[in-house]
Amino acid sequence: QENAALRKHLIFSREAQIENERLRGQLSFKSAAPNFQLLSAEVIGYDPSNVLQFLIVDRGASDGIEMGMPVLSAGGLVGRISQVSAASAKVMLITDPSSSVSAAIQRSRATGIVQGRAGGGLVMRYIPQGETVSPGDVVLTSGLGGNFPKRLVIGQVASVTAEDVGMFQNATVVPGVGLRELEAV
């Protein structure tokens, strides 16, 4: 019985430590982004089928959440609010096929559109052929179109595909945030 009680105490202590680390990360993110009015939310659900790319958070209209608001984590852009109820909201992840974000390559300032792909993942399209894009380049929101603030991390270029006859090149982008591991945004 004593072993069981100590094991239970150890589990609760470890959970408190994990929560403490997550909250410290959110606090440092909030202090690093003083221009934003941020509201913390817990993730309370995911798309169980993995076909649609969304999650549900425990904040809604009663907390001031509105359609189209960007959703962030310390690692970067998560998505945007797509539905709102009084006490919760649905977040369309950036990996959803209907998601698109104006983006820029940090190093070269090349612009394009980052879109979600079926089954998850990201692709940056409409990068002009003359622009230099390399694996490892960081992809940020460009702020164009006014849907997302500038300079939020979207991810990192994994590979680049240039077409011989096309005007554009495409880049496969790995999200900067582990979207399926999120507990809070």
Side-chain angles (χ1 to χ4, degrees):
Q1 286 179 342
E2 185 178 356
N3 264 349
L6 289 172
R7 194 173 302 118
K8 182 179 175 182
H9 179 70
L10 182 64
I11 290 169
F12 285 130
S13 294
R14 180 65 184 136
E15 277 299 307
Q17 181 182 7
I18 291 169
E19 181 181 33
N20 189 0
E21 289 170 6
R22 188 183 79 237
L23 292 172
R24 283 180 190 270
Q26 287 179 342
L27 185 59
S28 70
F29 176 66
K30 188 168 186 160
S31 63
N35 300 338
F36 299 127
Q37 182 180 353
L38 301 174
L39 178 66
S40 161
E42 296 285 322
V43 175
I44 58 173
Y46 287 96
D47 169 32
S49 69
N50 224 9
V51 173
L52 301 173
Q53 299 287 314
F54 72 85
L55 54 85
I56 299 170
V57 295
D58 68 346
R59 300 286 190 146
S62 61
D63 300 298
I65 301 298
E66 297 175 6
M67 293 272 295
M69 284 182 158
V71 179
L72 317 170
S73 77
L77 183 63
V78 172
R80 75 177 83 192
I81 301 294
S82 61
Q83 288 180 358
V84 181
S85 68
S88 66
K90 186 175 180 179
V91 178
M92 177 176 53
L93 300 176
I94 58 174
T95 53
D96 188 280
S98 59
S99 172
S100 64
V101 180
S102 294
I105 303 294
Q106 185 179 43
R107 181 183 51 79
S108 67
R109 309 317 289 170
T111 59
I113 304 292
V114 172
Q115 297 175 318
R117 295 192 317 194
L122 298 169
V123 64
M124 185 170 175
R125 300 186 194 284
Y126 310 115
I127 306 167
Q129 280 287 10
E131 297 289 351
T132 304
V133 180
S134 304
D137 282 348
V138 175
V139 181
L140 305 172
T141 55
S142 68
L144 299 174
N147 293 324
F148 293 101
K150 270 181 143 176
R151 297 183 195 95
L152 298 175
V153 174
I154 295 173
Q156 195 170 21
V157 173
S159 64
V160 181
T161 307
E163 299 174 12
D164 292 336
V165 281
M167 293 174 42
F168 302 105
Q169 54 187 327
N170 297 325
T172 302
V173 178
V174 177
V177 178
L179 298 170
R180 288 292 170 185
E181 293 83 41
L182 284 174
E183 293 183 18
V185 293

